[in-house]
Amino acid sequence: MKSCIFHKKYLLAGIYIIFVLFTCCNSRFYHTPLAKICSVTEKQTLSREGTRGSKEYYYTQNITARILNGPHKGEKITVSNEYTSSQVQTKKYHKGDTVLLSGSKESPGKTIRSVKRDGYLALLAGGLFFLLICITGKQGFYTIISLILNTVIFAYGFQAFTEGKNILNICNVIAVLFSLTTLICLNGIHRKTFSSVLSTLCVLFLIMALFEFSIYMYGDLDYSNLEYLGSTGNSADIFWADIMLTGLGAIMDVTVTISAAVGEIVRKNPSVSLKRLIHSGREIGYDIMGTMINVLLFVLASGMIPMFILKMNNDISFITIVRYHIPYDICRFLIESIGIVLAIPVSVFIASAIMKIPSRKRGVRE
Amino acid sequence: MIIFLTLILIFLVILIGGERGAMSIMTLAGNIVILFFSIMLMSAGFPVLLLILVAGAGVCYISLFYQNGNNPKTRAAFLATLLVMLLLFIPIYIITWRSGSYGLNELQISEDDFMYYYSTDLHINMLHVGIFVTVFSTLGAVIDTALSVTSSVYEVWTHKNSLTAKELTASGYQVGKEIIGTTVNTLLFAYLGGTILLFSYIQTQQYTLEIILNSQFLFQDVAVMLSGAVACLITVPVSIRCIIRQIS
């Protein structure tokens, strides 16, 4: 039995490696011209005074690259590239990088569009899937299914949105679908699942009501500074959807953790009293509440750091950025944190009730 | 509106968590202060890689010991977090460096603000800032996973002291399995929620699938999400080892 599992792991590792290798040399399937950089010579062209009085150096790279696909396959091409020592807008390329060129396959252009990143994407995604199955076994498989299903549901919802349907309705439907698929995939059809689905939906309803209420009280946010706003008109609705989806995962996380822990305690010690159970559930809740809020803080705040640095070096003060550039990020963070906090009492009570009452009946029957 | 929501959050945390809720608020404030000082120092040109180490250790210390006290649970979680982050630092560095997913992405560069108004001669290595971003997004999730695992194992152990290390490991994996799935989904949703605008913007730009798959705007967020998930997975066995060593 054990050797069988080992064989499976080797098989998976093999598939993973083949998959990554394939994405590294799939250039023949590309319609965009690709090239591999063979040699790079660079020289400093000028230095300019940057912000804070320091020197910023500009470099020009002369790159010789070998074309990987199309009729010109195998030919050498020279492109030039400029970069600065901070690499804010420009990139330094290295020997061995595979890059996408501008132009078409028939006549490759002389500029580099971007690095070929699909190999790294495959490396990370494949690594995640491989580790999921290695560490959590069958559960990992279900997690992968839930990830794929959620992405598909999201894609469908997005498709419906671009066809012009109301994003709020779509969002309500897919939020319910998300929580059902995720929790059933993760826990199977089980009492734990029902308690977590129930708690998740209750909490979701509560925070969206709170959001509506605070908009009603204090007026809508100004969405004109939202990133990637582009041409979409209904930014308020999109932001609503954004808030709902962003927090869903975190809320499910809290409800599942609490119901799982409550279930585990009942399994190990079926004679535990209801009061003790609620006490334990709350204890776990307190332990995870702070860290969950911190997870959200770091996930949401880290991405903004480059922006902060850039703007603060352009004489925009920290306070100005916080007040005028990121109020929606703060608002989103606060709403999700409130959701996490509310999820604790709601799921402790629902989980304890659902876990305890049937098992007590069973005890009487036995 | 933000002040109103902040007050509600503080009120609820204290109402539900009591004294420990107040501690959570203090921790949160502490982490925000750390982030604030990190941003300040980084934009003043402080070496970023050194800052990752200092700020990272500070965040671990505040999130674990200040918030949850010094006990076997937090000691094990601290140890596990440090081990995992040290283990993952080099892969994160290599991937961020080789895939060039740092600095501004294609869409941000083409925004008017950055083209005309801002000077980008910062004399700050954006590669290191990119690593800071990835490490810090991962850190929160790793601390959370480590603490969930150690806290659950510890809780099971206090209910039944007679369990052997093997049974505790099994119990830890059981809990680990159930939280990993949701943690991965938490990260997925945190990403998906933020991308509705991005995707509707991309749709107006008519990129081909190849360009999108290889683009930085997709990769930098997905990479953060995926490496967070990988880090959490590695945290499970590491933190089970650590907690069992602590209590036995």
Side-chain angles (χ1 to χ4, degrees), chain A residues 172 175-177 179-180 183 195-207 248 251 255:
Chain A
N172 289 329
V176 174
L177 282 180
S179 43
L180 272 177
L183 296 169
S195 80
S196 7
V197 170
L198 214 61
S199 337
T200 306
L201 293 180
C202 285
V203 174
L204 209 54
F205 172 76
L206 284 176
I207 60 165
L248 189 54
I251 294 166
T255 58

Side-chain angles (χ1 to χ4, degrees), chain A residues 12 125-126 128-134 136-151 185-186, chain B residues 181 184-185:
Chain A
L12 276 172
L128 173 63
F129 288 178
F130 177 64
L131 279 175
L132 266 176
I133 292 183
C134 274
T136 58
K138 218 197 266 169
Q139 186 80 26
F141 182 66
Y142 292 129
T143 309
I144 293 171
I145 291 182
S146 77
L147 282 179
I148 292 170
L149 274 179
N150 283 337
T151 315
C185 278
L186 297 183
Chain B
V184 173
N185 274 297

Side-chain angles (χ1 to χ4, degrees), chain A residues 25 34 55 61 105 140 150 157 159 162 178 219-220 240 246 255 292 294 297 313 348:
Chain A
C25 48
L34 294 174
K55 277 267 193 307
Q61 289 184 305
K105 231 174 177 179
N150 283 337
Q159 192 66 36
T162 50
F178 274 147
D220 222 337
W240 199 90
T246 311
T255 58
M292 276 305 295
N294 282 317
L297 173 74
N313 271 296
V348 165

